[in-house]
Amino acid sequence: MSTLVAIALTTGILSGIWGWVAVTWSLLSWAGFLGCTAYFACPQGGVKGLGISLCTVMSGVFWAEVIIYGSQLSPEWAMLGYLLTGVVAFVMCIQAKSQWLSFVPGTFIGACSTFAGQGDWQAVSPSLLVGLLFGYAMKNSGLLLAERWPQPKKS
């Protein structure tokens, strides 16, 4: 079995399970899929990739909250919110100098999820976190399956 087919198979099965978990635990299914996406997209795999994805996604949630609450300090000055957004976006990128915050798309996934969840980090965060775990399980169980069920040799 090719690696792609194995990962597709385990991702399909675990996506269905994720749908059930999200409903059962009152999680945001779309945010969980973004957590899965963050793990799959992270250039570093394994447990270290999970850690980097976790740190960056959660930093994005934090930075989104900074923008949301900071913009509310002076709602009559819309320009202040735009300026704050620019400064925070800069920081979201520059923090990638740290190895554990080096996956910039993960930071933006966390921030965008928080914006989409209208700032409800208490609902978004656990959904992203469980989604990250599902992403880890999807990819790594697929890799294990491909390793255990080798592709037939071509003649």
Side-chain angles (χ1 to χ4, degrees):
M1 179 180 307
S2 75
T3 302
L4 179 61
V5 170
I7 291 174
L9 181 63
T10 58
T11 297
I13 292 167
L14 289 172
S15 289
I17 294 171
W18 162 247
W20 175 80
V21 167
V23 169
T24 303
W25 293 358
S26 299
L27 297 172
L28 304 170
S29 62
W30 59 266
F33 277 115
L34 286 171
C36 292
T37 301
Y39 178 76
F40 269 92
C42 186
Q44 179 75 43
V47 174
K48 186 171 184 180
L50 181 61
I52 290 170
S53 298
L54 171 71
C55 291
T56 57
V57 166
M58 295 314 296
S59 75
V61 171
F62 169 79
W63 290 121
E65 291 294 322
V66 168
I67 292 170
I68 291 167
Y69 287 105
S71 296
Q72 292 173 355
L73 291 176
S74 295
E76 67 279 0
W77 290 1
M79 188 57 80
L80 182 63
Y82 304 142
L83 180 62
L84 179 61
T85 299
V87 169
V88 169
F90 171 83
V91 173
M92 287 168 60
C93 293
I94 205 73
Q95 75 180 12
K97 287 184 160 197
S98 165
Q99 179 184 14
W100 291 102
L101 298 172
S102 62
F103 179 47
V104 175
T107 305
F108 280 87
I109 287 171
C112 291
S113 297
T114 306
F115 292 131
Q118 300 186 354
D120 186 1
W121 64 269
Q122 297 95 332
V124 171
S125 297
S127 302
L128 285 168
L129 294 175
V130 176
L132 279 168
L133 293 174
F134 265 84
Y136 177 85
M138 289 170 181
K139 185 172 184 181
N140 290 291
S141 63
L143 292 172
L144 184 63
L145 180 61
E147 181 183 299
R148 301 240 193 265
W149 193 339
Q151 203 166 355
K153 303 260 189 241
K154 295 180 182 178
S155 315

